[in-house]
Amino acid sequence: MSTPYLSMDLAKIEANARRVVADFAAHGIAVAGVTKVTCGHPAVAQAMLRGGVSMIGDSRLRNLHRLREGGVTAPLMLLRVPALSAAAEVVACADVSLNSELAVLEALSAAALAQGRVHEVIVMVDLGDLREGVMPTELVPLVTALKALAGVRMVGLGTNLACFGGVVPSRENMGQLVALSDEAARAYGQPLRWVSGLNSSGLALLEAGHLPPAMNQARIGEAILLGRETIIRRPWPGTAQDAFLLHAEVLELKRKPSVPIGTLGEDAFGERPRFAERGERLRALLNVGREDVEHAGLTPLDERLSIVGASSGYLVMDVSAAAGDIRVGDVLPFALTYGALLRAMTSEYVEKRLLPLSAGDGVDTRGAP
Ligand SMILES: *Cc1c(COP(=O)(O)O)cnc(C)c1O
């Protein structure tokens, strides 16, 4: 096994999915499992599906292809609003997509007619996070135009919060979503199957029992994969936070001063790091760096260790408190934030290792997507 590697514990992902699905199900809400941070890893999707998610969502067409080719037969939802230029591919590989532009809906309609399919769409409304979606005042005109398009069927109204602007889902904005979905259904002339208002930031609201009963779909990534809600990143009860761990190897172990020697200019990244005088420390160099991961999002499982910094290929650690227990060649595990996991998953330098290992299938040699 080469280092560094990222372990992905499928049993923990499945158990996390089962817990989160049960929590949402108690409020009548179905969960779409979101795999984008794993680049649409089919084994991760299958673990989520065993845990009870009803469909898989991902933001990239390439990942949806990977899921299908990897044997995932559940419905696939494209989460990132489609590119106009990709309409035909969207219809061919996604069962449902999130949308906000009439020109794109027209192209999806033409592509669906050409392919003899009906493509389902969820219209996205922007309730203040200011990422994707039509503003509420533009919703009815869009839905009215959509009604005239053959080949596409509106199946829901959605919103996405806490992603760009950090807007917290609330009783108010979720109530607004439900009211808008009633308006949209009237304009469309048909009931809508989904009110799709939540991601992992919605767990606190769910727990407080403050969701309108009409809310019936959540699109969940982080809470299943890393076991956290995403408003304050609180561990979610009954889930594991260590389904993914990064493992890196100690290359060098030496006592060194805590402050660099000589005149200090910029570092390799144009930054001017500061160093506190702490005397001589035992430092470890590990074989993972900024080309592999976002080091600020790593937490060593051994609480005695701390990260001093990173260059493109090295992680520099202060391991003084664990002197005697650490040797060159040791492989140290780290928990990851969502951002760090994203970088590790997309780095071709980080091997992906599935757990539990069954003969021969543990190593995923596929490079970065
Ligand atoms: C990524 C994404 C999600 C999942 O968000 P989590 O915070 O990981 O649960 C849901 N909806 C959309 C549109 C997304 O892009």
Side-chain angles (χ1 to χ4, degrees):
M1 180 60 61
S2 68
T3 56
Y5 67 92
L6 182 74
S7 59
M8 313 195 279
D9 189 321
L10 298 174
K12 286 185 179 169
I13 295 167
E14 177 181 339
N16 282 3
R18 189 166 287 118
R19 172 79 261 151
V20 169
V21 165
D23 291 341
F24 277 105
H27 297 260
I29 296 171
V31 173
V34 174
T35 52
K36 67 187 178 207
V37 74
T38 68
C39 309
H41 201 297
V44 170
Q46 301 286 22
M48 287 181 165
L49 288 161
R50 286 195 299 277
V53 306
S54 53
M55 62 170 89
I56 297 295
D58 203 292
S59 55
R60 289 169 197 264
L61 287 169
R62 180 159 169 178
N63 295 350
L64 294 188
H65 284 302
R66 185 182 181 195
L67 288 161
R68 276 285 182 255
E69 283 158 18
V72 174
T73 55
L76 297 182
M77 175 190 271
L78 180 65
L79 297 174
R80 183 166 67 180
V81 298
L84 183 60
S85 59
E89 198 186 345
V90 172
V91 168
C93 80
D95 298 286
V96 53
S97 59
L98 308 184
N99 284 274
S100 61
E101 286 289 353
L102 183 58
V104 174
L105 288 163
E106 286 167 349
L108 292 171
S109 162
L113 289 174
Q115 294 175 32
R117 295 177 186 239
V118 173
H119 182 70
E120 297 190 337
V121 301
I122 290 179
V123 171
M124 294 299 277
V125 64
D126 194 325
L127 295 181
D129 202 52
L130 307 186
R131 200 177 73 175
E132 76 276 43
V134 290
M135 294 308 282
T137 50
E138 295 161 17
L139 178 62
V140 166
L142 179 72
V143 171
T144 306
L146 171 55
K147 184 182 157 107
L149 299 177
V152 285
R153 181 185 301 134
M154 181 175 178
V155 295
L157 187 72
T159 197
N160 197 60
L161 295 172
C163 265
F164 184 73
V167 172
V168 174
S170 64
R171 201 197 280 252
E172 290 69 34
N173 53 33
M174 290 298 107
Q176 192 188 1
L177 182 67
V178 168
L180 287 168
S181 91
D182 289 341
E183 257 184 68
R186 266 197 305 281
Y188 197 60
Q190 280 181 43
L192 302 177
R193 199 187 311 150
W194 301 119
V195 181
S196 185
L198 300 169
N199 53 30
S200 298
S201 68
L203 281 165
L205 202 59
L206 180 86
E207 187 178 47
H210 287 167
L211 288 174
M215 184 76 53
N216 63 4
Q217 187 183 71
R219 309 173 306 266
I220 302 292
E222 185 162 348
I224 294 175
L225 299 171
L226 294 175
R228 294 180 187 277
E229 60 79 46
T230 57
I231 300 293
I232 56 169
R233 297 251 155 29
R234 174 165 58 101
W236 189 245
T239 62
Q241 285 70 53
D242 59 353
F244 295 81
L245 292 174
L246 183 72
H247 306 258
E249 184 169 339
V250 177
L251 307 174
E252 178 188 299
L253 188 66
K254 301 208 182 296
R255 298 199 74 85
K256 295 190 183 183
S258 44
V259 175
I261 304 150
T263 306
L264 299 189
E266 292 183 353
D267 71 7
F269 295 90
E271 295 159 13
R272 287 176 179 268
R274 290 166 190 278
F275 299 91
E277 179 53 77
R278 307 182 63 204
E280 210 179 62
R281 310 291 295 174
L282 184 64
R283 289 159 77 101
L285 282 187
L286 277 70
N287 62 349
V288 71
R290 297 194 194 200
E291 214 159 10
D292 313 283
V293 74
E294 187 181 297
H295 64 285
L298 294 180
T299 306
L301 292 198
D302 184 336
E303 289 171 3
R304 297 172 299 171
L305 314 182
S306 62
I307 295 171
V308 179
S311 61
S312 60
Y314 289 118
L315 188 70
V316 182
M317 298 191 73
D318 184 330
V319 300
S320 308
D325 292 342
I326 292 197
R327 276 161 205 85
V328 168
D330 281 0
V331 177
L332 306 180
F334 298 82
L336 305 99
T337 61
Y338 194 82
L341 177 58
L342 178 68
R343 287 272 290 280
M345 285 296 319
T346 53
S347 172
E348 64 177 286
Y349 302 107
V350 178
E351 189 174 290
K352 317 299 185 290
R353 181 180 186 181
L354 296 175
L355 301 174
L357 285 174
S358 59
D361 73 0
V363 179
D364 178 0
T365 50
R366 197 190 123 111

